[in-house]
Amino acid sequence: MCMNLKLATEIGKCLSNNPRVQILEWLKEPEKHFPPHETLKHFNDGVCVTYIQEKAGLSQSTISTYLANMEKCGLLIITRHGKWSYFKRNEELIRQYTEFLL
Amino acid sequence: MCMNLKLATEIGKCLSNNPRVQILEWLKEPEKHFPPHETLKHFNDGVCVTYIQEKAGLSQSTISTYLANMEKCGLLIITRHGKWSYFKRNEELIRQYTEFLL
DNA sequence: TAAATATATCGATAATTCTCGATATATAGA
DNA sequence: TCTATATATCGAGAATTATCGATATATTTA
């Protein structure tokens, strides 16, 4: 999907709220901001909802919705392992967005 | 002023609404989207409020407020000539913002 | 100085977003 | 299968934003 005004505005909406921008920043360096996983020993697929929720200090439902919105507009990529959902940055989409702005 | 979470969120708010994102896009190439000025013969300082307002099709007060907000967070630079206010993109700030995101 | 023009600000209502707790769903383990 | 854990979805009230018309301010010109 290529960048356009409509999608850019949806991305902008995700980036218009402090907690969401903060999450995107944390996910730049997961190992620096989140505890290591007990099952998975890496952050290749990002961070699970619970860790992000605890760090953000908002309710589970709020964070779940935020992450779903960010995934929907492409800012994040979701990978499910069993009962966990891992979220990581979609660097390609973010690059497309920044190129659209410039 | 250097980029930080708070400012990035303010910028995100400006970029969370269709008309504002559209304005930022139009201002990439003013000569392509707006009529030439009768007094000034160039777009060096950008485009006046009236032209932007007519092109956007929203009320004068709405556009004036939008432009003021975008100027306040640094996305636009305002230059006044007599009774006109000209707005142009602040490429440096936009670059800082994109680097923050990446 | 009076009128016209361009922009900014104010006050208000409608629409959207924020954020929560409650509850539903899905998976894993006893 | 029953229970615990992780995540998603729903419904609601509070807060914020969208957008307008009216009006104020500033500048230019007659």
Side-chain angles (χ1 to χ4, degrees), chain B residues 14 63 87:
Chain B
C14 282
I63 294 299
F87 288 89

Side-chain angles (χ1 to χ4, degrees), chain A residues 48-50 60-61 64 78 80 83-85:
Chain A
C48 69
V49 179
T50 304
Q60 187 272 323
S61 62
S64 179
I78 185 172
R80 285 180 232 267
K83 58 182 171 180
W84 288 280
S85 296

Side-chain angles (χ1 to χ4, degrees), chain A residues 12-25:
Chain A
K13 285 183 186 180
C14 281
L15 299 176
S16 71
N17 152 292
N18 225 275
R20 286 189 300 257
V21 179
Q22 178 73 85
I23 289 168
L24 205 63
E25 289 301 300

